Amino acid sequence: MYFDTLGQMKKQLAQLDKWLAAAVTYAEVKKFDPNVFLTTRLAVDQFPFVRQVQVTCDTPKLAASRLTGKEAPAQADNETSLPELSARIQATIAYLDTFTAKDFVGADARTVTQPRWEGKIMSAHDYFLEHALPNFYFHLTTAYAILRHNGVPMGKRDFLGTLSQRMP
Amino acid sequence: MYFDTLGQMKKQLAQLDKWLAAAVTYAEVKKFDPNVFLTTRLAVDQFPFVRQVQVTCDTPKLAASRLTGKEAPAQADNETSLPELSARIQATIAYLDTFTAKDFVGADARTVTQPRWEGKIMSAHDYFLEHALPNFYFHLTTAYAILRHNGVPMGKRDFLGTLSQRMP
């Protein structure tokens, strides 16, 4: 489950990168600074777009690291432009590309914790399903919604990407 | 993977039901008709809230049905109030409650199709990861974002619900 679902997250990160390109194109057409998107949000007490993208990247990065014991590269969270965010996405995809299904053998025996959990732990299984998976899609979809709400022309197909469909 | 992930979706549906209650409370405080939310959307060419909730319910319902061969109850998609949407969510949870892990044995041998796919099929595995999973979280998060954007006081904890954390 872990490896396959992280593979799907990698696919979604590639879609997210395409939305950034669509945002740049839209800004060019409308003649505004595309980096305005970085500080845009749907509610005043919500993370802005730049942070939504950063967390969307960090969630599968940290999940892959925590479930395998392999170290995750640190990120400075200092992106100031859409091209820099695109580089962050590409770096995350490249990191996820270093994993094979074999790396996740034994993951179910692991537990996960975070400083903010005040000593509490979660089983790898619960952490992945209850925390990593919903958080990933939450921030991914919120990033999409911020662009969509502000006029970037995208639809569900852009969200999902190409499906593995075939004739019977 | 299927049964466990559908269990997580069931948990998220229970969270979604709580957001509807938060929306009702917010409308009472602000003195407006809570059913205004049903036609609210983040972009003019996007599904309104009522449809986001309907599709959030239908996605795991249809996934459970398609992966097991068990019939799914039809829904009329005629909800006109938040309490009716809440009943839809509860009916979906009740349907998902009828499944056991055993029902999904052999799911990987199945293929899935839909009328709109024009004869094409997907393997159960690809359908679940590439279609059901992202669609579910897409509509769930969009429903959340519509409420959040319109002032309903909620945060990430309301999105995730209670995590299975414990002391080591």
Side-chain angles (χ1 to χ4, degrees):
Chain A
M1 169 177 74
Y2 305 125
F3 180 69
D4 286 355
T5 308
L6 284 163
Q8 171 60 23
M9 290 175 173
K10 208 165 66 176
K11 178 187 174 185
Q12 295 287 168
L13 286 171
Q15 292 308 115
L16 171 59
D17 200 25
K18 290 177 190 167
W19 310 340
L20 299 191
V24 169
T25 301
Y26 182 69
E28 282 167 3
V29 170
K30 292 279 187 181
K31 300 192 196 316
F32 68 88
D33 177 3
N35 292 328
V36 164
F37 282 118
L38 271 73
T39 53
T40 301
R41 52 191 106 209
L42 291 175
V44 284
D45 56 345
Q46 187 191 50
F47 283 156
F49 184 77
V50 61
R51 189 83 196 116
Q52 303 289 351
V53 174
Q54 288 165 347
V55 181
T56 302
C57 289
D58 276 0
T59 304
K61 177 188 84 171
L62 293 171
S65 168
R66 287 167 177 154
L67 294 182
T68 61
K70 288 176 82 169
E71 206 169 338
Q75 313 279 351
D77 287 336
N78 59 358
E79 291 86 359
T80 58
S81 70
L82 292 180
E84 284 178 23
L85 277 181
S86 176
R88 171 79 170 257
I89 295 166
Q90 289 304 325
T92 306
I93 292 172
Y95 175 68
L96 293 174
D97 273 338
T98 66
F99 290 85
T100 65
K102 222 172 151 184
D103 291 320
F104 295 87
V105 174
D108 274 325
R110 292 181 181 271
T111 58
V112 174
T113 190
Q114 291 189 32
R116 75 172 72 165
W117 293 355
E118 298 171 343
K120 291 193 191 121
I121 60 171
M122 294 183 78
S123 73
H125 176 270
D126 292 344
Y127 157 73
F128 192 76
L129 277 181
E130 296 180 19
H131 192 276
L133 185 63
N135 266 314
F136 173 76
Y137 276 110
F138 176 88
H139 293 288
L140 177 77
T141 308
T142 304
Y144 176 94
I146 290 171
L147 299 183
R148 202 63 178 73
H149 178 63
N150 285 282
V152 179
M154 304 191 297
K156 175 65 79 57
R157 279 174 195 228
D158 301 295
F159 186 84
L160 294 178
T162 306
L163 300 176
S164 299
Q165 295 176 328
R166 58 178 172 84
M167 290 311 288
Chain B
M1 168 176 75
Y2 305 124
F3 180 69
D4 287 355
T5 307
L6 284 163
Q8 170 62 22
M9 290 176 174
K10 209 165 65 175
K11 178 187 174 186
Q12 295 287 167
L13 286 171
Q15 292 308 116
L16 171 59
D17 200 24
K18 291 176 189 166
W19 311 339
L20 299 191
V24 169
T25 302
Y26 182 70
E28 282 167 3
V29 170
K30 292 278 187 182
K31 302 192 196 316
F32 67 88
D33 176 3
N35 292 329
V36 164
F37 282 118
L38 270 72
T39 52
T40 302
R41 51 191 107 211
L42 291 173
V44 285
D45 55 344
Q46 187 190 49
F47 282 157
F49 184 77
V50 60
R51 188 84 195 116
Q52 303 290 350
V53 174
Q54 288 165 346
V55 182
T56 303
C57 289
D58 276 359
T59 305
K61 176 187 84 171
L62 293 172
S65 168
R66 287 167 177 155
L67 294 182
T68 62
K70 287 175 82 170
E71 205 169 337
Q75 313 280 351
D77 288 336
N78 59 358
E79 291 85 359
T80 58
S81 70
L82 292 180
E84 285 179 21
L85 277 181
S86 176
R88 171 79 172 257
I89 295 167
Q90 290 305 325
T92 306
I93 292 173
Y95 175 68
L96 294 174
D97 273 339
T98 65
F99 290 86
T100 65
K102 222 172 150 186
D103 292 320
F104 295 88
V105 174
D108 274 326
R110 292 181 182 270
T111 58
V112 174
T113 190
Q114 291 189 31
R116 74 172 74 165
W117 293 355
E118 297 171 345
K120 291 191 191 124
I121 60 171
M122 294 183 78
S123 72
H125 176 271
D126 292 344
Y127 157 74
F128 193 76
L129 277 180
E130 297 181 20
H131 192 277
L133 185 64
N135 266 315
F136 173 77
Y137 276 110
F138 177 88
H139 292 289
L140 177 78
T141 308
T142 303
Y144 176 94
I146 290 171
L147 299 182
R148 200 66 178 75
H149 177 64
N150 285 282
V152 178
M154 305 190 298
K156 176 66 78 61
R157 278 175 195 227
D158 301 296
F159 186 85
L160 293 179
T162 306
L163 299 177
S164 299
Q165 295 177 329
R166 58 178 172 87
M167 290 309 288

